[in-house]
Amino acid sequence: MHRMRIPILLFSTLLLLAGCPSEPSAAPESAASQVSAAPAARFHGTDISQDPIGGDFTLTSHNGRSVSLSDFRGKVVVLVFGYTHCPDVCPTHLLTYAQAIAQLPPEQAAAVQLLFVSVDPARDRPELLARYVPAFNPSFIGLTSADGGEAETQAVMKLYGATAAKQPPQPNGFYSVDHSSATFLINRQGRTVVMEPFGQTATQLAEDLKTLLNQQP
């Protein structure tokens, strides 16, 4: 069975402090005191908006052009790490996100961009990514290094705390890559907000995408 390793991320703890007056005040409350704070967004995934995770990057897309995360400012970006020879987790991610986006109204679906960053750039050249990634959804974009080396993609993985380890090849030369399976949701402003664990349903992902899409800039 293909083994996945989920990266260990340290998330900030939210401290909720509530106060209650011991006696009712005789004075009428001011209008300002009656205004309650807007409730924090709730996600099915883990809110990592307060953690130093993510950042802009530039890689080569499956059509051979340089693509940066910042190119999609104004859209919600789904960031997936994987590789085309992955037997289970990667195709499951892509299929489930395709199903999630299909649950959105057309105008919201058009405001979501999935980026698939290869953890196996030596094999995942643009031509192969072009046959693989858009097969799940024509809007999905596969990304790899320009020269097939690992330095560019590893730099992106480091930004997001993702990991990958190439396994010893089989006699026929085939090898697998164990990699972390979390995916990331990035808001319209380019900030990494949610980490989604493997196994989320399409409906859960769709609801988290809607929450981000409905947030004010």
Side-chain angles (χ1 to χ4, degrees):
M1 181 179 290
H2 189 67
R3 297 176 290 116
M4 296 291 120
R5 291 201 293 265
I6 300 177
I8 301 176
L9 302 175
L10 298 179
F11 299 108
S12 303
T13 302
L14 293 177
L15 301 178
L16 300 178
L17 303 178
C20 181
S22 57
E23 296 182 2
S25 172
E29 294 183 4
S30 66
S33 67
Q34 297 180 34
V35 177
S36 58
R42 296 185 181 275
F43 300 100
H44 294 286
T46 301
D47 187 334
I48 57 173
S49 59
Q50 302 305 310
D51 295 277
I53 297 171
D56 196 18
F57 59 84
T58 300
L59 291 171
T60 300
S61 72
H62 66 245
N63 55 24
R65 294 195 293 266
S66 292
V67 169
S68 300
L69 175 63
S70 57
D71 293 341
F72 306 101
R73 196 65 54 87
K75 291 189 174 186
V76 169
V77 173
V78 178
L79 190 63
V80 179
F81 292 94
Y83 67 116
T84 60
H85 291 76
C86 178
D88 40 34
V89 170
C90 304
T92 299
H93 274 323
L94 294 174
L95 177 60
T96 307
Y97 272 111
Q99 294 170 340
I101 292 171
Q103 295 182 25
L104 302 176
E107 65 276 10
Q108 287 194 325
V112 176
Q113 178 62 61
L114 185 142
L115 301 178
F116 180 84
V117 177
S118 175
V119 300
D120 183 23
R123 287 187 297 189
D124 287 345
R125 304 313 302 138
E127 307 79 35
L128 178 56
L129 288 171
R131 295 196 301 270
Y132 180 78
V133 178
F136 294 89
N137 183 303
S139 73
F140 290 0
I141 297 176
L143 299 175
T144 187
S145 63
D147 59 1
E150 297 181 351
E152 292 180 47
T153 53
Q154 285 182 344
V156 179
M157 291 166 60
K158 184 176 181 180
L159 285 173
Y160 292 86
T163 60
K166 180 180 175 180
Q167 300 304 299
Q170 300 175 11
N172 61 3
F174 179 85
Y175 63 87
S176 62
V177 181
D178 285 356
H179 63 92
S180 51
S181 59
T183 60
F184 301 89
L185 305 185
I186 300 167
N187 69 13
R188 296 177 186 269
Q189 292 74 47
R191 184 174 185 176
T192 308
V193 176
V194 184
M195 185 187 75
E196 301 283 4
F198 177 69
Q200 299 283 65
T201 67
T203 297
Q204 289 173 322
L205 296 175
E207 289 174 353
D208 283 357
L209 288 170
K210 286 179 182 178
T211 299
L212 287 178
L213 288 164
N214 290 332
Q215 286 180 347
Q216 296 300 317

